[in-house]
């Protein structure tokens, strides 16, 4: 199986072969090499930023409605090419086609469409100081310049769209660096944007590891960096960006609570807990990995959970009936298996806990969906982000207790509450320390809704109108309507 792109990078409206060292890109289900990707040299990083600077000069002068039309056409192209891009995403990430067909390029298209509409409707404010003929001020919403997007590997094209669409809607240019383990689909986005009529240089892709990301963060001609990644990487990026006082948006990790009260529908809550831990083989930042279940329903919850977990279908990711794929890389599989060993020492393993054997895919990076029954909140598997299909089940007695325990983490990305008592649902989410909360559902992130974290889970917001604030700046203009009254 091959998915070799025409070039490793995309700069100035065209693929660029790249002169840097070439790295194999494996299919996580089999470990077969599907492409070889050159990592950007320092000169190529400079060339991409220079291309974005030229692109910015064209794009910032382009009428906002025309920017919107380009983004809208790109949305249509992603939808047209959804199956082909989904197959690339499945080969690159190992996520089953059942998911990539509906969750990746499709959500990227929604994002482009949403910000296309925003582009055409961006406005400033009028601020009056006195009567009709008095002084006033107005504000202009202006782009920042060249923005850098740095992506994680779990939702490669969605992350690229979540960063590119608001940036471009506001008139910025972008250089995007995908994760080194999922380099392919950002190139599909770049090609779609060119086909949609985006001027050359406005959206560029460069490949490479952390060093390429760090070079972009340090680059003096870059105005803003938006990272999706681990909290530790967020700290490095913020530190690197501080030297030149760049704007920063950070979408980082989490250890989010999902709280199930004894009046909730157990079937609904079990379904949500499974989605919140096993979808994308658990590689979702906002996952509800600490599932707090009220002690009165613990046994019934576990019975349903185990029955449904046993029925999960692991298998060929390209088979649309497969529900669970491998993890993204051998290194990540080893990290997750390391957590499974810690879980075995500190908790009761209710199901899973090891490598998964999948016939025909013996060399892939498979692990079993796993549930830990956790007696102590201090257990490593209940405090650290595992980023695999690993659920920690905890029990609680009342609202105050579970709120304090749910908030006892430095992360604060997301939280969920299941209850039929709506007043309690709203009361709980008001008390939970998290950037994004759900009542009676989990992990839904429509593009219209701002998304992001507090604490070690990040800074700033993506999506919704909030994203516009992070890709534009306000210029205030004072207009004098009368002569200046100078005392000298
Ligand atoms: P990493 O933090 O390892 O990497 C994220 C990106 O940063 C990659 O492109 C990486 O390059 C790059 N990078 C690494 N070091 C540096 C550096 N010093 N300077 C600049 N860039 C650098 O995250 P993962 O890819 O492992 O993704 C998983 C993490 O992402 C989890 O913690 C998850 O919670 C989080 N995440 C957060 C989301 C959110 O919206 N809040 C959504 C999805 C994931 P390379 O890969 O080549 O090393």
């Amino acid at each position: 199986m091959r998915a070799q792109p025409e070039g490793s990078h995309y700069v100035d409206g065209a693929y660029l072969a790249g002169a840097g060292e070439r790295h194999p890109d494996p299919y996580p289900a089999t470990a077969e090499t599907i492409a070889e990707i050159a990592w950007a040299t320092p000169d190529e990083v400079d060339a991409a930023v220079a291309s974005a600077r030229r692109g910015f000069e064209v794009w910032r002068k382009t009428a906002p409605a025309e920017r919107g039309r380009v983004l809208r056409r790109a949305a249509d192209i992603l939808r047209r090419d959804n199956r082909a891009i989904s197959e690339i995403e499945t080969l690159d990430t190992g996520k089953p086609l059942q998911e990539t067909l509906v969750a990746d390029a499709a959500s990227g298209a929604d994002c482009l469409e949403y910000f296309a509409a925003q582009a055409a409707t961006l406005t400033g404010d009028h601020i009056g100081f006195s009567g009709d003929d008095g002084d006033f001020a107005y504000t202009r919403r202006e782009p920042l310049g060249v923005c850098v997007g740095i992506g994680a590997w779990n939702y490669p094209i969605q992350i690229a769209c979540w960063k590119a669409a608001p940036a471009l809607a506001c008139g910025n240019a972008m250089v995007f660096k995908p994760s080194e383990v999922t380099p392919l689909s950002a190139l599909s986005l770049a090609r779609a944007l060119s086909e949609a009529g985006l001027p050359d240089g406005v959206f560029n892709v460069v490949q490479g590891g952390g060093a390429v990301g760090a070079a972009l963060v340090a680059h003096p001609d870059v105005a803003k960096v938006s990272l999706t990644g681990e909290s530790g990487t967020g700290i490095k990026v913020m530190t690197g960006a501080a030297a030149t006082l760049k704007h920063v948006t950070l979408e980082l990790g989490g250890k989010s609570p999902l709280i199930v009260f004894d009046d909730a529908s157990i079937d609904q809550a079990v379904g949500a807990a499974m989605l919140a831990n096993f979808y994308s083989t658990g590689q979702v930042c906002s996952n509800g990995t600490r599932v707090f279940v009220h002690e009165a329903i613990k046994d019934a919850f576990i019975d349903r959970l185990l029955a449904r977990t046993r029925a999960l279908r692991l298998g060929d990711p390209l088979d649309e009936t497969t529900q669970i794929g491998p993890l993204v890389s051998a290194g990540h599989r080893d990290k997750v298996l390391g957590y499974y060993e810690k879980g075995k020492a500190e908790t009761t393993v209710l199901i899973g806990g090891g490598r998964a054997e999948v016939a025909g895919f013996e060399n892939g990076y498979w692990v079993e969906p796993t549930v830990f029954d956790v007696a102590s909140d201090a257990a490593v598997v209940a405090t650290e982000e595992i980023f695999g299909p690993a659920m920690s089940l905890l029990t609680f007695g009342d609202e105050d207790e579970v709120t304090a325990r749910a908030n006892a983490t430095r992360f604060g990305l997301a939280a969920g509450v299941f209850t039929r008592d709506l007043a309690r649902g709203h009361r709980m989410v008001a008390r939970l320390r998290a950037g994004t909360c759900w009542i009676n559902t989990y992990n839904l992130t429509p593009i219209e809704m701002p998304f992001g974290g507090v604490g070690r889970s990040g800074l700033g917001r993506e999506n919704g109108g909030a994203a516009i604030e992070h890709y534009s700046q306000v210029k205030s203009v004072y207009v004098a309507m009368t002569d200046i009254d100078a005392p000298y």
Side-chain angles (χ1 to χ4, degrees):
M1 238 162 322
R2 294 290 287 176
Q4 185 68 40
E6 282 176 46
S8 292
H9 317 293
Y10 199 93
V11 175
D12 224 1
Y15 283 102
L16 183 70
E21 198 184 329
R22 295 176 80 76
H23 293 254
D25 180 23
Y27 177 33
T30 59
E32 261 174 272
T33 296
I34 52 167
E36 268 132 28
I37 299 293
W39 287 12
T41 63
D43 284 350
E44 287 165 348
V45 169
D46 281 345
V49 174
S51 157
R53 283 191 70 181
R54 290 191 298 276
F56 174 60
E57 286 309 315
V58 176
W59 191 238
R60 72 184 181 87
K61 295 176 198 145
T62 302
E66 171 58 11
R67 288 184 211 146
R69 280 191 287 271
V70 170
L71 295 178
R72 171 66 227 212
R73 284 196 293 268
D76 293 341
I77 292 165
L78 288 200
R79 291 201 178 104
R80 182 195 71 196
D81 296 347
N82 184 44
R83 179 162 285 272
I85 298 173
S86 301
E87 285 172 2
I88 287 173
E89 207 71 309
T90 287
L91 291 176
D92 221 3
T93 61
K95 294 195 296 180
L97 199 53
Q98 184 186 89
E99 289 188 17
T100 53
L101 280 172
V102 297
D104 292 85
S107 68
D110 290 350
C111 173
L112 288 161
E113 188 171 54
Y114 176 81
F115 285 105
Q118 292 267 341
T121 53
L122 293 175
T123 57
D125 291 324
H126 168 272
I127 305 148
F129 301 124
S130 55
D132 287 350
D133 53 1
D135 293 1
F136 65 95
Y138 64 93
T139 59
R140 293 167 48 88
R141 187 162 288 282
E142 297 187 344
L144 302 172
V146 175
C147 299
V148 160
I150 302 178
W153 37 255
N154 56 343
Y155 282 83
I157 198 166
Q158 183 193 72
I159 291 171
C161 289
W162 280 16
K163 297 187 189 309
L168 270 46
C170 292
N172 302 286
M174 176 163 274
V175 179
F176 186 81
K177 188 198 87 67
S179 164
E180 68 192 64
V181 293
T182 53
L184 301 179
S185 61
L187 296 166
S188 307
L189 173 64
R191 204 186 39 200
L193 284 163
S194 287
E195 186 186 339
L198 189 73
D200 294 347
V202 180
F203 182 72
N204 308 272
V205 177
V206 290
Q207 309 286 356
V212 170
L216 288 167
V217 170
H219 203 290
D221 292 337
V222 168
K224 186 220 162 85
V225 182
S226 176
L227 167 81
T228 298
E230 288 177 6
S231 298
T233 311
I235 291 167
K236 285 187 205 157
V237 164
M238 196 163 172
T239 306
T244 40
L245 281 182
K246 292 181 171 70
H247 297 253
V248 176
T249 297
L250 302 173
E251 292 291 353
L252 309 176
K255 193 75 193 175
S256 301
L258 169 55
I259 301 169
V260 183
F261 283 93
D262 52 353
D263 64 344
S265 154
I266 292 184
D267 264 326
Q268 290 285 305
V270 165
M274 291 177 71
L275 281 168
N277 282 276
F278 302 147
Y279 200 72
S280 297
T281 319
Q283 302 163 112
V284 180
C285 52
S286 48
N287 268 355
T289 46
R290 290 182 295 146
V291 179
F292 290 93
V293 178
H294 192 276
E295 57 203 9
I297 57 165
K298 179 182 179 187
D299 292 345
F301 188 94
I302 288 177
D303 283 351
R304 289 300 298 138
L305 175 65
L306 296 187
R308 289 172 67 175
T309 302
R310 271 185 219 107
L312 286 173
R313 280 197 300 276
L314 281 72
D316 179 356
L318 291 167
D319 175 345
E320 282 181 47
T321 64
T322 293
Q323 295 171 321
I324 305 279
L327 291 169
V328 76
S329 67
H332 190 54
R333 175 204 52 204
D334 294 344
K335 182 178 159 196
V336 170
L337 288 174
Y339 277 113
Y340 283 9
E341 289 310 309
K342 289 183 181 144
K344 284 179 194 165
E346 289 186 310
T347 75
T348 306
V349 180
L350 296 177
I351 191 167
R355 281 174 190 249
E357 302 299 330
V358 179
F361 295 87
E362 286 74 13
N363 295 327
Y365 316 134
W366 303 86
V367 299
E368 292 176 314
T370 295
V371 180
F372 301 109
D373 186 357
V374 182
S376 161
D377 291 4
V380 171
V381 293
T383 54
E384 294 184 17
E385 185 181 48
I386 300 173
F387 223 58
M391 182 189 307
S392 285
L393 210 64
L394 305 115
T395 45
F396 72 95
D398 68 48
E399 263 183 59
D400 285 346
E401 175 210 333
V402 76
T403 305
R405 290 169 62 196
N407 285 341
T409 169
R410 289 188 173 191
F411 292 115
L413 188 53
V417 178
F418 268 76
T419 175
R420 286 200 176 95
D421 177 347
L422 269 188
R424 172 157 64 191
H426 292 291
R427 189 165 63 238
M428 286 296 299
V429 295
R431 297 172 70 194
L432 289 167
R433 214 175 56 87
T436 309
C437 293
W438 294 277
I439 300 175
N440 291 334
T441 189
Y442 204 84
N443 260 354
L444 296 180
T445 55
I447 192 67
E448 297 86 347
M449 183 175 92
F451 178 79
V454 303
R456 284 179 72 98
S457 291
L459 282 179
R461 292 291 177 268
E462 295 197 298
N463 302 350
I468 297 296
E469 300 297 329
H470 296 291
Y471 282 105
S472 61
Q473 53 198 342
V474 165
K475 177 183 278 175
S476 296
V477 183
Y478 188 107
V479 181
M481 297 289 283
T482 53
D483 290 343
I484 293 170
D485 184 14
Y488 32 76

